[in-house]
Amino acid sequence: MIKVAINGFGTIGKRVADAVAAQPDMEVIGVSKTSVSAEAYIAKERGYPLYIADLSKRETFEKAGIEVAGDVEAMLKAADIVVDATPGGVGEKNRPIYERLGKKAIFQGGEDHEVAGFSFNAHANYKEAEKHQFARVVSCNSTGLVRIIHALDQAFGVARVRAVMVRRAADPDDVKRGPVDAIVLNPATIPSHHGPDVNTVLPHINIVTLAMIVPTTFMHMHSIQMDLKKETTREEVLKVFENHSRIGLVRKATGIKSNAQLREYTQDLGRPRTDLWENGVFEESVSILDGKEFYCFQAIHQEADVVPENIDCIRALMGTVKDPQESIRMTNEALGLVAIG
Ligand SMILES: NC(=O)C1=CN([C@@H]2O[C@H](COP(=O)(O)OP(=O)(O)OC[C@H]3O[C@@H](n4cnc5c(N)ncnc54)[C@H](OP(=O)(O)O)[C@@H]3O)[C@@H](O)[C@H]2O)C=CC1
Ligand SMILES: O=C(OP(=O)(O)O)[C@H](O)COP(=O)(O)O
């Protein structure tokens, strides 16, 4: 069993912890927080040993009825690998501790590529991970872009990509960022960071991205155009998506045309926390013009799509499963991830 520590038990960390606990070859040896909050009670309820960054706060936790297993360093020492899901920028500060303890670590998209020196996506570059101590799972938007670009690049070749990201303003629980009522160009400059981020995994792709933020909390929406190298048809492209285990199709017949309806759908499907782990490509939007021009809209659930990627990244860095498809299969099966559509 691979012993996994989750440093940072927030939006991403708590999902990764549950995903690790569901795997047949992994166990959660601890999770960490800095303060008492609802998620500390969830750790207790799940039975995950809770470690804290600053042991002087032990009494505050214990007064709230939450047992503290030790400090973060003790958690790291007990682990084979750590998933760092602390807020963006904290991972960079944690890296020297992982180096000192000789622990493998996975950072999230809030860190720069250079923090790990290797950026990861299971379908695109799983096999390159084994030689690294550190990896970074690219951000939610970049994960969604990499999946769809890589799939079409493998099938038809991608000459160039132009994409617009309509980004959710905050996570549903993130009250400190709201209320909001604006469309914010974020950034107003072009390109946004997403294109260069895609290039950390797929360096050969010619991509320019634009991004803005709108007042919604569940899911980003991408408008994507790609020039393909080989002529194809809409039907062939749909087949590529149907055969991809992490690209789902929002079928026309469902009548779903928004993030809100898609969230209701995942909730009704009984997905944990309503999570859409896969890309949600809108079937109606998939278009091929003049044989080589591809267009689509896709929804990306920011809290969820990086979760299975973190699980595959654990196996890839540990070198326990060599075949990416086998790891992806194991992860999907344990999570119950059967792509919609
Ligand atoms: N939320 C999203 O949509 C996505 C986020 N990401 C990336 O994932 C990473 C985590 O983001 P997210 O889950 O949203 O963040 P959250 O703020 O939801 O959670 C962060 C967690 O880290 C803990 N923490 C804070 N400081 C420390 C520290 N010094 N040592 C240990 N734990 C600490 C917090 O505990 P406490 O509350 O007790 O301080 C909290 O449990 C970021 O890099 C982000 O960019 C990637 C894809 C999507
Ligand atoms: O990684 C994310 O977005 P990104 O792909 O736009 O960088 C997550 O949605 C978190 O980003 P934010 O919390 O900085 O908006």
Side-chain angles (χ1 to χ4, degrees), residues 221 248-250 262 276 278-282 297-300 340:
M221 194 70 80
L249 282 167
V250 182
L262 188 49
L276 182 74
E278 63 274 46
N279 295 21
V281 175
F282 288 78
F297 289 120
Q298 68 171 4
I300 295 297
I340 55 170

Side-chain angles (χ1 to χ4, degrees), residues 7-12 32-35 53 85-88 90 108-110 140 168 171 302-303 306:
N7 199 11
F9 192 67
T11 302
I12 300 300
S32 79
K33 279 187 53 62
T34 67
S35 60
T86 55
V90 178
Q108 306 305 312
C140 47
R168 68 87 180 94
D171 291 338
Q302 79 280 358
E303 299 166 294
V306 297

Side-chain angles (χ1 to χ4, degrees), residues 125-146:
N125 63 0
Y126 183 100
K127 286 186 175 168
E128 287 170 42
E130 197 179 346
K131 57 181 183 286
H132 294 276
Q133 181 182 355
F134 300 133
R136 165 182 166 271
V137 171
V138 289
S139 79
C140 47
N141 279 309
S142 306
T143 292
L145 285 170
V146 168

Side-chain angles (χ1 to χ4, degrees), residues 119-280:
S119 291
F120 178 86
N121 173 268
H123 279 88
N125 63 0
Y126 183 100
K127 286 186 175 168
E128 287 170 42
E130 197 179 346
K131 57 181 183 286
H132 294 276
Q133 181 182 355
F134 300 133
R136 165 182 166 271
V137 171
V138 289
S139 79
C140 47
N141 279 309
S142 306
T143 292
L145 285 170
V146 168
R147 281 181 186 158
I148 194 165
I149 294 167
H150 180 69
L152 294 188
D153 196 34
Q154 294 288 102
F156 313 110
V158 168
R160 63 169 221 169
V161 183
R162 301 294 178 258
V164 179
M165 257 58 58
V166 178
R167 303 164 70 194
R168 68 87 180 94
D171 291 338
D173 72 331
D174 201 356
V175 290
K176 64 183 180 299
R177 286 206 205 177
V180 282
D181 185 8
I183 299 172
V184 181
L185 305 181
N186 188 285
T189 51
I190 296 166
S192 68
H193 67 280
H194 306 94
D197 203 25
V198 166
N199 286 140
T200 65
V201 180
L202 303 172
H204 63 289
I205 295 291
N206 172 347
I207 177 168
V208 175
T209 52
L210 294 73
M212 62 190 91
I213 290 177
V214 299
T216 189
T217 59
F218 32 85
M219 301 187 194
H220 308 291
M221 194 70 80
H222 296 178
S223 152
I224 304 178
Q225 193 270 315
M226 296 188 217
D227 288 348
L228 305 176
K229 289 181 181 165
K230 280 192 220 147
E231 289 213 355
T232 186
T233 60
R234 178 172 187 268
E235 288 64 37
E236 279 180 345
V237 168
L238 285 170
K239 258 191 223 121
V240 170
F241 296 157
E242 280 161 359
N243 290 332
H244 193 294
S245 64
R246 290 191 188 154
I247 296 181
L249 282 167
V250 182
R251 295 289 184 187
K252 180 181 178 187
T254 63
I256 296 172
K257 295 185 199 313
S258 67
N259 60 340
Q261 293 161 299
L262 188 49
R263 181 173 183 259
E264 183 80 2
Y265 188 59
T266 55
Q267 186 166 321
D268 290 344
L269 284 173
R271 290 284 182 96
R273 298 185 175 96
T274 77
D275 282 355
L276 182 74
W277 294 296
E278 63 274 46
N279 295 21

